[in-house]
Amino acid sequence: MNKINVKTPIVEIDGDEMTRVMWQMVKDQLLLPYLNMDLVYFDLQLKKRDETDDKITLEAAEAIKKYGVGVKCATITPNKDRVKEFNLKQEWSSPNGTIRAALDGTVFRAPILVSNVLPAVRSWKKPIHIGRHAYGDVYKNCEYRVPEAGKAEMVFISDAGKELWRGKIQDFKGPGIIQGIHNTDKSIVSFAKACFTYAYDQRINLWFGAKDTISKTYDAQFKKIFEQEFEANWKGKFKEAGLEYFFTLIDDAVARIMKTEGGLLWACKNYDGDVMSDMLGSAYGSLAMMTSVLVSPQGYYEFEASHGTVQKHYCKYLKGEKTSSNSMALIFAWTGCLRKRGEIDKTPEVVEFAKNVEDAALETVESGIMTGDLMLVATPDSKNKRVFTEEFIAEVAKRLQKKLK
Ligand code: NAP
Ligand code: MG
């Protein structure tokens, strides 16, 4: 078989621990034998970030802006323990956070469905995608422990030095807590644009939930911006494609999600998205059965797995023990990236190759061959077999080879 040409270079961002090990296996066995592709490679393993004072992370983000599409392995976000373990110059911030900020992107997640792992919610038949606003609110807050009775106020002073607003938060009669949060119109507009673009690309309905009845200025601004974006740029396109934009209160959205059959994008404010994406991930079966893509308003894409570096399995691997780590999300990060590259380049053979890899992976699990995380949640069947990390990838490779003959 002739190798398939990938027209434009792909930005490849390597990572840490068990996912780094699986990353190489996936490339060697499922991709490189079949593709001629130029990879613009960035090694973001923690040691390299430390050596370059984290400049390499910014360079990787710039490369995604240049080439348009990238794929990223999971990376360690260092904490105090990691600083000691790797003897780091400092506690570098999360590479995902850095890249997200550089691309001003929104993270979209969706479950990978297989027929023998049923979602915990019976009505869910199709994937529920989540779009999480990745800026502001409690993640960029200012908070204070009130030690004694007193008055808490919020003040806004313009750059011109004028006090434009002052409001009372609370007259405290004793100790308590206060918190200030913010968001910006610019970031909310990007979020809305990314959500409409993603839902339209995927041809699925868009739901957005907030609490504008209680938060009449803050959440109401989110609702307003989504409506404006819909009216200005999407109403016609959505109608033509038979799609719906639906706004409702966040608690109503949660109640409806439990009854829907899925097949929609659920746009969530930052905190709602943090909480709800973990709920969806676990309800659909396993952390390793979620895809994740960062979409920027300019149309740059970064595909990744939504789980971390699977450190516990890596510790076993280092000791020479066998692991049963699931590479599905990493495989789908690569296929998502290849499909998008093929769509942009107008090379249907690349899109078709991506589909073949995905089908081979799905069929492997559906034939009963699966890693330990899925054995726990799969429909019991005598043909189910728990396999090791490398065995699973070899089984996918076998099926892929047959498809490509
Ligand atoms: P994790 O790597 O997602 O793993 C948590 C647990 O989930 C694992 O111990 C394993 O459970 C299960 N799991 C996750 N992925 C799996 C897979 N592919 N196959 C089988 N089981 C899987 O989270 P963590 O242990 O909290 O974090 C480890 C490192 O990852 C941290 O340094 C963190 O900073 C980093 N991280 C990176 C990203 C990213 O780059 N996108 C995201 C999150 C975390 P069992 O042990 O029970 O088998
Ligand atoms: Mg979370």
Side-chain angles (χ1 to χ4, degrees):
M1 188 199 128
N2 285 334
K3 284 193 177 186
I4 297 164
N5 290 318
V6 180
K7 205 161 133 196
T8 310
I10 283 175
V11 179
E12 177 194 359
I13 303 176
D14 210 343
D16 288 296
E17 302 194 312
M18 201 62 213
T19 40
R20 186 182 181 91
V21 175
M22 291 194 274
W23 189 259
Q24 196 61 47
M25 292 180 187
V26 166
K27 261 175 68 182
D28 287 346
Q29 295 182 51
L30 304 181
L31 308 174
L32 298 180
Y34 307 107
L35 298 174
N36 276 325
M37 58 177 172
D38 281 338
L39 295 168
V40 184
Y41 180 81
F42 293 89
D43 189 354
L44 256 59
Q45 63 168 302
L46 187 48
K47 250 188 352 215
K48 290 281 156 57
R49 280 179 272 149
D50 195 53
E51 276 167 27
T52 61
D53 293 333
D54 209 20
K55 285 202 184 65
I56 192 160
T57 307
L58 285 172
E59 286 166 11
E62 286 308 312
I64 293 178
K65 286 189 189 168
K66 179 169 172 197
Y67 294 101
V69 183
V71 58
K72 179 179 170 293
C73 183
T75 44
I76 295 167
T77 298
N79 54 17
K80 301 263 176 314
D81 293 342
R82 299 293 202 164
V83 171
K84 246 192 249 154
E85 181 187 343
F86 287 86
N87 193 20
L88 301 178
K89 293 178 198 159
Q90 68 176 71
E91 203 177 308
W92 303 107
S93 48
S94 149
N96 291 330
T98 304
I99 295 172
R100 220 176 276 159
L103 300 184
D104 187 19
T106 300
V107 176
F108 294 96
R109 296 204 161 154
I112 301 165
L113 301 189
V114 283
S115 58
N116 49 348
V117 178
L118 298 179
V121 179
R122 261 176 298 150
S123 60
W124 294 354
K125 305 277 186 268
K126 298 180 208 157
I128 295 169
H129 304 239
I130 279 223
R132 172 181 168 190
H133 186 206
Y135 177 82
D137 300 354
V138 298
Y139 301 86
K140 236 179 168 6
N141 67 2
C142 164
E143 48 183 32
Y144 177 63
R145 163 79 172 125
V146 173
E148 59 191 38
K151 188 159 80 173
E153 287 186 328
M154 196 151 78
V155 184
F156 180 78
I157 298 159
S158 74
D159 274 353
K162 246 191 168 164
E163 182 183 308
L164 294 187
W165 188 77
R166 177 180 287 264
K168 185 179 85 180
I169 297 173
Q170 181 69 329
D171 276 323
F172 283 93
K173 306 287 178 245
I177 38 183
I178 54 175
Q179 179 183 61
I181 60 171
H182 81 280
N183 226 298
T184 66
D185 283 10
K186 179 168 178 276
S187 175
I188 304 168
V189 169
S190 293
F191 172 47
K193 278 187 191 300
C195 288
F196 282 108
T197 307
Y198 182 93
Y200 185 73
D201 270 1
Q202 303 271 334
R203 297 292 189 273
I204 51 180
N205 292 331
L206 173 62
W207 291 13
F208 178 45
K211 197 76 182 178
D212 64 305
T213 46
I214 299 293
S215 170
K216 291 181 194 301
T217 302
Y218 198 104
D219 276 28
Q221 185 65 7
F222 277 82
K223 180 183 178 186
K224 190 166 140 194
I225 287 177
F226 266 72
E227 258 164 28
Q228 282 170 347
E229 177 61 23
F230 179 61
E231 290 291 331
N233 300 316
W234 300 96
K235 204 172 180 177
K237 279 188 185 164
F238 265 49
K239 194 164 175 216
E240 218 170 86
L243 299 175
E244 178 192 39
Y245 166 60
F246 174 56
F247 175 86
T248 186
L249 289 170
I250 181 66
D251 38 354
D252 183 51
V254 170
R256 283 169 189 266
I257 279 289
M258 289 300 168
K259 299 268 169 66
T260 171
E261 63 162 32
L264 60 96
L265 168 64
W266 185 11
C268 288
K269 288 178 61 201
N270 209 346
Y271 178 83
D272 301 338
D274 184 353
V275 177
M276 290 304 162
S277 61
D278 283 12
M279 183 197 74
L280 284 183
S282 106
Y284 273 112
S286 160
L287 279 181
M289 297 297 276
M290 284 287 261
T291 64
S292 182
V293 56
L294 176 71
V295 182
S296 86
Q298 291 80 20
Y300 310 129
Y301 294 81
E302 185 212 41
F303 294 82
E304 53 163 13
S306 73
H307 57 75
T309 60
V310 213
Q311 183 188 12
K312 279 194 204 129
H313 296 207
Y314 186 61
C315 292
K316 282 170 79 180
Y317 171 86
L318 284 181
K319 284 190 223 145
E321 289 171 36
K322 288 279 194 187
T323 67
S324 182
S325 319
N326 189 341
S327 49
M328 285 293 276
L330 292 175
I331 294 172
F332 274 69
W334 274 102
T335 54
C337 161
L338 287 166
R339 175 180 294 110
K340 182 50 76 183
R341 193 64 271 169
E343 283 169 7
I344 296 174
D345 291 344
K346 301 203 169 37
T347 48
E349 62 281 11
V350 174
V351 176
E352 193 192 323
F353 174 78
K355 171 138 188 0
N356 277 322
V357 177
E358 288 180 0
D359 286 348
L362 295 170
E363 284 163 21
T364 304
V365 177
E366 291 182 341
S367 75
I369 294 170
M370 56 184 85
T371 45
D373 56 324
L374 292 182
M375 278 301 271
L376 298 172
V377 291
T379 312
D381 194 311
S382 56
K383 66 178 190 213
N384 287 358
K385 184 174 169 219
R386 178 185 186 275
V387 292
F388 296 125
T389 309
E390 59 280 9
E391 285 178 304
F392 179 78
I393 295 169
E395 287 285 340
V396 177
K398 222 163 69 185
R399 283 168 180 76
L400 178 63
Q401 215 167 23
K402 270 199 206 135
K403 282 181 190 297
L404 296 176
K405 261 197 192 135

